[in-house]
Amino acid sequence: MKINIIISFHTEHLLPALPVQRRRPMLAPTSIDESCRGVNNLVGSDIRALRKSRGLTIADLTSALGRSVGWLSQVERGHTVPSVRDLAAIAAYFDVSLNFFFRCAHQNPEEQGLVLRAADRMAIGSSETGLTEELLSPTLGGSFEMIMSTFAPGSDSGGPKAARPSEDGGVLISGQLTMWIGALKVVLHPGDSFQFRESTYAWENEGTEPAVVIWVISPPVY
């Protein structure tokens, strides 16, 4: 679930799945966008944030990747740069695009982790799911994440989403979106905002135009 202009944030796994909860199905490209050839300087903290958001230990992830604990520890601390092959395996495991780790690589180093330019946003999911998202946070290493979610007309969440140990909030930027927060049903219009903690939720766009939400989640669960 996501929250239009709410902060929110979706391949076939190439590695054996550990008993962790995933958020949404995603398509993981196998090629790298030519505009982002260098590895993001924050790749180590991004991997750590993804790992922790799934409740994984370093040993859990390295077991799935076939790598050593020492290697991953060095990567997360920024002392070792993983190969593209390693990044592809990590991206596939976490259901994120490989390009995710190359975002902002061509940015001014002084801006990395502080500013994310519109041209550098990473798309998540596909139009086939009815929900497409763009990660707005310059880094996943903070205490919250921001996502721009676009809900296609006629799409829905397919039922309530399980409660998770996080606090969600968002604001609807455009369109109309029906949300269920626990047992409460509300219809959001542009400018309306919402916030809830550890609650089930569901959504449906009954309108004729996309609903856009800026979604914020703390801690990051992307």
Side-chain angles (χ1 to χ4, degrees), residues 4 38 63 67-68 72 85 90-91 95 123 130 137 176 191 199:
N4 288 296
S63 176
R67 278 294 206 161
S68 71
L72 182 56
R85 181 175 181 178
I90 294 170
D95 282 342
S137 297
Q176 175 179 301
S199 174

Side-chain angles (χ1 to χ4, degrees), residues 6-194:
I6 298 168
I7 292 175
S8 103
F9 301 147
H10 308 248
T11 2
E12 298 266 330
H13 285 327
L14 301 179
L15 298 172
L18 291 174
V20 296
Q21 184 175 1
R22 289 167 284 169
R23 294 191 65 206
R24 300 186 180 86
M26 299 178 64
L27 299 176
T30 56
S31 61
I32 302 171
D33 189 320
E34 291 299 321
S35 66
C36 296
R37 296 297 301 181
V39 177
N40 174 14
N41 287 340
L42 301 174
V43 64
S45 62
D46 284 343
I47 293 173
R48 183 190 301 112
L50 287 169
R51 174 177 63 78
K52 288 187 173 181
S53 73
R54 306 307 201 277
L56 295 172
T57 65
I58 288 182
D60 290 334
L61 182 54
T62 54
S63 176
L65 297 174
R67 278 294 206 161
S68 71
V69 169
W71 173 82
L72 182 56
S73 178
Q74 291 289 309
V75 168
E76 291 191 353
R77 289 188 305 217
H79 298 323
T80 296
V81 178
S83 67
V84 172
R85 181 175 181 178
D86 287 324
L87 288 176
I90 294 170
Y93 184 80
F94 286 117
D95 282 342
V96 299
S97 163
L98 175 58
N99 283 339
F100 172 82
F101 295 114
F102 293 80
R103 74 192 193 287
C104 312
H106 59 289
Q107 261 191 323
N108 183 332
E110 295 181 351
E111 293 186 356
Q112 290 192 8
L114 299 174
V115 177
L116 180 63
R117 302 293 181 179
D120 297 323
R121 292 177 188 166
M122 294 304 304
I124 306 168
S126 71
S127 57
E128 295 179 358
T129 67
L131 171 62
T132 56
E133 299 176 299
E134 291 185 8
L135 179 63
L136 303 180
S137 297
T139 174
L140 290 179
S143 59
F144 66 92
E145 65 185 350
M146 302 179 292
I147 302 169
M148 181 168 70
S149 303
T150 301
F151 303 84
S155 63
D156 62 60
S157 59
K161 299 295 183 181
R164 58 193 179 204
S166 64
E167 185 168 6
D168 294 58
V171 57
L172 183 64
I173 302 303
S174 62
Q176 175 179 301
L177 189 69
T178 300
M179 286 190 65
W180 288 262
I181 302 174
L184 175 67
K185 177 181 178 181
V186 295
V187 178
L188 300 176
H189 301 281
D192 292 342
S193 57
F194 61 90

